[in-house]
Amino acid sequence: MENLIKYNDDDTVNIPFGRVAEWYISNHSLLKNIRLKCQSRKKTSELVNKNIIAVSRVEGAVDYIKWNTKRGSAKSTNRIDDIIKLTPEGDEYVRQIEAGEKKDKTCWYWVMYCSGDGNSCQHECGEIGSCKENCANYFLPNNIKNYHDMHLCKVRVISESKLSWLKKEKPLRIKIIGSHLPINTLASHTPIITRLNLSRQIRDNIIINRRADHKTAKDIKAKLLALYNNASENELREALLKNQKTLCDNTKLRSFIMYDD
């Protein structure tokens, strides 16, 4: 995957659409073993409705929800490994952009952010693990106004793409900004994540195994732990703490399987 990443001078990277996007985010030093939440993906649906771009799922993607709107349109949840391509109308639009006849348009803009699990991050108001007394969020449950409030940490993952970039080999640009803690702090960042935090690819594999082979939680867990067959109990415990994108405990796994069922 590393060879598919182009590192830019402005601290951004350019990558292809697909699995490499999640791989890069999951393996970034700031983002390992933290849980990311996300805002709504912007600009994409508008251009899909205008038949300028089309969105497809990466091969093997099954972990998403589909529904129909009241108007009969099919909708589904977004994924960071979604793939965007130009339609014939989109190709013509880009030709006009290149000719200077039309302005370029953003076709993907998505902000993800650290969930602040474990009260170990610096909040937007400046306090670590909690809010300052004069903060507007101080008296709110969990110090957030709603589920999408980004107040609990300053780390952001911003991904974007434009129509003119879609003909390039690496059309998705990602920038990671902020930090969990101030540089000069003595506190350590130790997030305590109680929710399932497996990567999309691992979730896909679990669902496929479950649906195709009717594997039990025990069977799936054995497959996830195949690399740790000869590990000691302490090593397994350490792996569960440090590799939450690829491993999870029995309780979380059963809950995920029950949810899919």
Side-chain angles (χ1 to χ4, degrees), residues 75-251:
K75 298 284 187 179
S76 62
T77 48
N78 299 320
R79 292 174 47 129
I80 189 61
D81 54 14
D82 283 343
I83 298 169
I84 289 183
K85 293 182 179 179
L86 291 166
T87 63
E89 289 86 347
D91 282 324
E92 173 59 21
Y93 198 102
V94 170
R95 187 198 66 76
Q96 292 176 310
I97 292 172
E98 293 170 344
E101 299 169 6
K102 288 190 175 181
K103 291 184 178 180
D104 206 354
K105 286 191 174 185
T106 298
C107 58
W108 171 305
Y109 187 84
W110 208 358
V111 177
M112 297 179 170
Y113 55 98
C114 174
S115 61
D117 290 317
N119 296 322
S120 60
C121 298
Q122 183 181 34
H123 290 196
E124 283 284 0
C125 61
E127 198 71 14
I128 297 174
S130 61
C131 285
K132 293 180 177 179
E133 290 189 15
N134 62 350
C135 175
N137 286 24
Y138 181 75
F139 291 105
L140 297 176
N142 300 320
N143 295 146
I144 53 176
K145 297 173 183 176
N146 53 57
Y147 180 80
H148 295 292
D149 193 340
M150 299 190 290
H151 187 74
L152 301 187
C153 185
K154 296 185 176 184
V155 171
R156 308 282 184 265
V157 181
I158 302 170
S159 57
E160 64 176 330
S161 188
K162 295 186 176 183
L163 290 176
S164 64
W165 300 356
L166 295 183
K167 290 191 174 183
K168 297 180 180 180
E169 185 181 359
K170 300 176 176 67
L172 185 63
R173 180 171 294 173
I174 296 178
K175 184 168 188 176
I176 298 169
I177 60 174
S179 59
H180 300 290
L181 294 169
I183 296 175
N184 59 352
T185 186
L186 296 177
S188 60
H189 181 246
T190 53
I192 301 172
I193 301 172
T194 57
R195 298 190 181 190
L196 189 74
N197 198 35
L198 294 173
S199 70
R200 288 290 185 184
Q201 186 167 11
I202 295 296
R203 294 184 189 208
D204 290 335
N205 291 339
I206 290 172
I207 293 172
I208 290 170
N209 280 317
R210 174 69 171 175
R211 293 176 182 175
D213 302 325
H214 305 289
K215 289 184 180 292
T216 64
K218 184 178 180 181
D219 294 332
I220 294 171
K221 184 70 176 293
K223 191 168 184 177
L224 290 176
L225 292 173
L227 293 174
Y228 302 91
N229 280 343
N230 298 317
S232 66
E233 185 176 339
N234 286 336
E235 288 172 331
L236 282 175
R237 190 179 296 111
E238 187 75 6
L240 283 169
L241 287 173
K242 292 186 176 181
N243 300 305
Q244 294 193 32
K245 298 289 175 69
T246 56
L247 298 173
C248 68
D249 60 34
N250 289 327
T251 302

